[in-house]
Amino acid sequence: MNTENCNQMFQFRGIIFHCSPNCCSIFVKLSSSWNGPSDHDSTVVSSVDGGNAERLPKLDGVRGGVSSVCQILESGPWGPSMENALSLCNEKPQTELVIGVLKRLKDANVALKYFRWAEAKSNQAHCPEAYNSLLMLMGRSKNYDCLEQILEEMSLAGFGPSPNTCIELVASCVKSQKLREAFDLIQSMRKFKIRPAFSAYTTLIGALSSVHEPDLMLTLFHQMQELGYEVNVHLFTTLIRVFAKEGRIDAALSLLDDLKSNSLNADIVLYNVCIDCFGKAGKVDMAWKFFHEMKVHGLMPDDVTYTSMIGVLCKANRLDEAVELFEHMELNRKVPCAYAYNTMIMGYGSAGKFQEAYDLLERQKLKGSIPSVIAYNCILTCLGKKGTVDEGLRIFEEMKRDATPNLSTYNILIDMLCKAGKLQSALEIRDSMKEAGLFPNVLTMNIMIDRLCKAQKIDEACSLFEGMDHKVCTPNAFTFCSLIDGLGRNGRVDDAYRLYEQMLDSGRVPDAIVYTSLIRNFFKCGRKDDGHKVYKEMVHMSVSPDLTLLNTYMDCVFKSGETEKGRSLFKEIKAQGFTPDVRSYSILIHGLIKAGFARETNELFFSMKEKGCVLDTLAYNTVIDGFCKSGKVNKAYQLLEEMKVKGHPPTVVTYGSVIDGLAKIDRLDEAYMLFEEAKSKGVELNVVVYSSLIDGFGKVGRIDEAYLIMEELMQKGLTPNVYTWNCLLDALVKAEEINEALVCFNSMKDLKCPPNAVTFSILINGLCRVRKFNKAFVFWQEMQKQGFKPNMITYTTMISGLAKAGNILEANGLFERFKANGGVPDAGCYNTMIEGLSISNRATEAYSLFEETRLKGCNIYTKTCVVLLDALHKADCLEQAAIVGAVLRETAKSQHASRSL
């Protein structure tokens, strides 16, 4: 060995070699626990004479032993034969051999079995380095099954993992995206009184910040402080950023106070984070405070500071302040800040001040800075939001002189054109992308498919989907979701389901959004069994529902009349670990009221408020409408007043529900006062509200007021619908103003409002009421021509009218047709027909109908018996007359008895 190599130190797998010219000493040193010295530390010293042939025999022996053991361990499954082979190879494994094997193995389960076998064979506990080697292997192989057990053993032995091992374990979990496991690992170490490494904490806190887990981060942060670790400004910045982005301002401010109490000074990065995050959370004044505070502390705002503050002000619609700050930034500045220009251009665009945005582009050019593609994309995005397509295309052509359009540019244009329904132009832009050397990506296709579905151009969306080259541009979950929802909303639920199956076949697992769409659209099409089937499939696929899905499913179930199923779904929300929100309660209340369980709603409503649900306008409207429909109008009125106090202005839906509820219980003066109140507050009342008042006034015979409201409705430019006209016609008929009703009917047709079956029924009933049977029959025939099916009341009225008018043939034919079509005549209809046939000298037919009436259990009127008896005597049907006479006597006796009572 050369002299210059004397005293060289070599270290290999825990073995330290010290070489001198005359001898080579081997120091096998087992490193002690980082927590302190251990009884297991030992140093084995062996001297070997120099010479190449006999150099480092022990090292070669360890190496050979490690290779032999690893070969045995990798040869097959663990069992008695393997243990025998290991015993033959090394009866009593030495510490350095065990460590070498653990460092070379790849399977943690095999390593653990060997670890236990070696422990039993040597009859002594393993040293810290052996434990650390095992833990490192667990980290590398991402096998944490027995991790807590190993940590507990180490703790009982009086040592813990080395800092490097601790960091490696946490880093391994982080790389595998097993952040919860990493958190639990640190908690296990603390449970066993083991001190986790500083870097293990910071690594995990950094990883948790990217997945927005502020509470776990804060727990780790406080633990670091408890252990006496010195926390720095960077760590505070990481936590403050996450809490501020989550909108948890109080927690973020508390951390800032904690920073000051630790005698740490905020740096410019922290101030920039605070300005950006607090500003985006809507705390603009607080962002301003940080901006001014940093200057007080001697920190000069940089480009990031200015740009963030300008962006916050623009987003808060405080454009004048943003412009002032921008001008202050640009003052005496030779090189413009492109980011600030882009932000200011976006601010002008969002405010619709496009000329100012264009001027700023020119100003940037004059300063020697060519606007980037980002600046133009900002303008195009704002133009797209405003729907100014032509201007967007002009700017697109203009930008080509300064910047090359990128994929985002084309996507913005395609989105803009699809929203405007200009599919052909969008396809042309897509083709021009290819000419520019760019190719549509999945985002491009998603934009086009989504916009086409929303524009109800489903065939075009399907055509685009089918035309996608799945090798170049593979559809993702959003692509499938958009098309499945679009197909379902347009009633093509079977096509939507086939696409869902195609999604499964392609290896993608649908999320809750896809299942929500399928369930909603199947129920909407009246196919509730298929809707239930989809929910069961979701459960079978182990896809977790979200609250929106469960609310939607519950709403569908209630609307389909499955009240008990709806109740169970409300319980399912809690069982799934969700807290029912205001929509959950609203759906339940509305569903129960509709099913006739109005008594339960009051308790549910107060339960919802006790649970801390903050009622929004939609919730108030749902509950108010439910109370009105169940007759609890006073409670509905109270809630309307509560809405005003809580700062929720009542909408047309609110006023409409209460006005309708009051009108239905004849509290018309109160309804009209509320009607006037709504108008005074500028609420745009619709036809439904006017119709409620017309119906209410009409039913109590206040025809003049009903007419005045109809007149006001038309003066407002609203068009009465068929329900409105029917309300007025019904009021006129009940007041026997039949001629006026006919005038209204003609006005209705003049205003292009086609009558429906109810309209004809009202007029037929009214005409029969005033004995204008022939005119009624004309309307009857017109009703039939227009394809409307008369209801039982209309049939009965028309049959009775014809019979009373002496048109017994027509009446009888209509009566038979009514029964043949499944109609069930009532007592009035039967008695009218019996009388008509009797008066027309058709006694035999009248008697047959008399028998049929008795069999049906319908009452026979005294007058009917008298008329029929007379007809039977005239026709010499004495036997039948005797039966009718007996019925007449029984009827008279029962009437006498009831009068006596």
Side-chain angles (χ1 to χ4, degrees), residues 221-222 225 236 253-263:
F221 181 76
H222 287 323
Q225 291 176 309
F236 273 104
L253 290 172
S254 176
L255 282 163
L256 281 169
D257 291 338
D258 197 5
L259 173 89
K260 291 172 185 173
S261 66
N262 276 272
S263 302

Side-chain angles (χ1 to χ4, degrees), residues 121-193:
K121 280 291 180 182
S122 62
N123 198 26
Q124 65 179 16
H126 288 296
C127 67
E129 190 170 355
Y131 272 102
N132 277 303
S133 299
L134 180 62
L135 289 175
M136 291 289 268
L137 173 57
M138 287 179 168
R140 288 196 307 273
S141 62
K142 301 175 179 57
N143 186 331
Y144 313 107
D145 293 342
C146 299
L147 190 59
E148 188 164 327
Q149 181 186 345
I150 298 299
L151 290 173
E152 185 176 10
E153 286 181 25
M154 294 176 81
S155 175
L156 290 170
F159 54 83
S162 69
N164 284 343
T165 304
C166 181
I167 294 165
E168 175 64 29
L169 284 169
V170 170
S172 170
C173 290
V174 168
K175 285 175 189 174
S176 307
Q177 297 297 309
K178 294 184 176 181
L179 302 188
R180 173 57 75 170
E181 285 84 347
F183 180 84
D184 292 342
L185 166 64
I186 286 181
Q187 302 319 302
S188 294
M189 291 175 72
R190 283 178 55 79
K191 182 172 77 172
F192 298 127
K193 311 300 182 189

Side-chain angles (χ1 to χ4, degrees), residues 114-391:
Y114 174 72
F115 187 80
R116 296 298 182 210
W117 176 86
E119 190 175 46
K121 280 291 180 182
S122 62
N123 198 26
Q124 65 179 16
H126 288 296
C127 67
E129 190 170 355
Y131 272 102
N132 277 303
S133 299
L134 180 62
L135 289 175
M136 291 289 268
L137 173 57
M138 287 179 168
R140 288 196 307 273
S141 62
K142 301 175 179 57
N143 186 331
Y144 313 107
D145 293 342
C146 299
L147 190 59
E148 188 164 327
Q149 181 186 345
I150 298 299
L151 290 173
E152 185 176 10
E153 286 181 25
M154 294 176 81
S155 175
L156 290 170
F159 54 83
S162 69
N164 284 343
T165 304
C166 181
I167 294 165
E168 175 64 29
L169 284 169
V170 170
S172 170
C173 290
V174 168
K175 285 175 189 174
S176 307
Q177 297 297 309
K178 294 184 176 181
L179 302 188
R180 173 57 75 170
E181 285 84 347
F183 180 84
D184 292 342
L185 166 64
I186 286 181
Q187 302 319 302
S188 294
M189 291 175 72
R190 283 178 55 79
K191 182 172 77 172
F192 298 127
K193 311 300 182 189
I194 297 169
R195 181 186 177 91
F198 178 87
S199 293
Y201 274 112
T202 56
T203 300
L204 184 52
I205 288 172
L208 289 167
S209 71
S210 63
V211 294
H212 304 287
E213 287 282 2
D215 292 320
L216 296 183
M217 292 170 65
L218 192 60
T219 300
L220 295 171
F221 181 76
H222 287 323
Q223 287 177 9
M224 291 180 74
Q225 291 176 309
E226 288 169 16
L227 290 170
Y229 282 130
E230 188 176 333
V231 289
N232 54 31
V233 175
H234 174 72
L235 207 52
F236 273 104
T237 304
T238 302
L239 269 87
I240 290 166
R241 177 189 283 113
V242 174
F243 275 102
K245 279 186 177 179
E246 291 282 313
R248 295 170 64 175
I249 304 302
D250 291 341
L253 290 172
S254 176
L255 282 163
L256 281 169
D257 291 338
D258 197 5
L259 173 89
K260 291 172 185 173
S261 66
N262 276 272
S263 302
L264 294 171
N265 294 319
D267 58 13
I268 193 165
V269 175
L270 178 55
Y271 274 113
N272 287 345
V273 165
C274 288
I275 289 166
D276 184 57
C277 295
F278 281 91
K280 283 177 180 175
K283 304 293 180 182
V284 183
D285 292 332
M286 200 173 284
W288 257 132
K289 172 184 166 291
F290 287 119
F291 183 83
H292 293 301
E293 186 183 297
M294 67 185 294
K295 292 194 281 187
V296 171
H297 286 89
L299 295 170
M300 291 306 297
D302 61 6
D303 288 350
V304 175
T305 319
Y306 276 108
T307 305
S308 296
M309 194 67 230
I310 291 166
V312 165
L313 291 167
C314 289
K315 190 179 177 184
N317 297 319
R318 291 164 66 166
L319 195 62
D320 292 340
E321 292 172 77
V323 171
E324 186 181 343
L325 188 62
F326 178 78
E327 295 299 338
H328 182 269
M329 176 189 179
E330 282 294 280
L331 192 66
N332 302 321
R333 190 185 182 101
K334 292 181 181 179
V335 180
C337 173
Y339 294 111
Y341 270 88
N342 293 343
T343 305
M344 200 65 243
I345 286 166
M346 190 73 176
Y348 278 130
S350 298
K353 295 187 174 184
F354 291 104
Q355 189 54 53
E356 286 85 342
Y358 301 152
D359 292 343
L360 201 56
L361 274 178
E362 292 303 318
R363 179 172 155 189
Q364 187 178 355
K365 292 178 192 176
L366 290 172
K367 287 206 169 189
S369 174
I370 304 299
S372 68
V373 67
I374 297 170
Y376 281 102
N377 284 351
C378 288
I379 292 178
L380 287 172
T381 299
C382 296
L383 288 168
K385 287 177 181 176
K386 302 292 181 184
T388 50
V389 180
D390 294 336
E391 180 68 4

Side-chain angles (χ1 to χ4, degrees), residues 406-408 410-411 414 430 433-434 438-449 468-469 472-476 479:
N406 61 12
L407 194 57
S408 295
Y410 285 102
N411 284 342
I414 288 168
R430 184 194 64 177
M433 287 174 70
K434 297 174 184 176
L438 298 169
F439 293 93
N441 60 6
V442 70
L443 177 61
T444 316
M445 303 309 294
N446 285 349
I447 289 168
M448 296 185 78
I449 288 169
M468 287 176 73
D469 185 346
V472 178
C473 182
T474 307
N476 59 17
T479 323

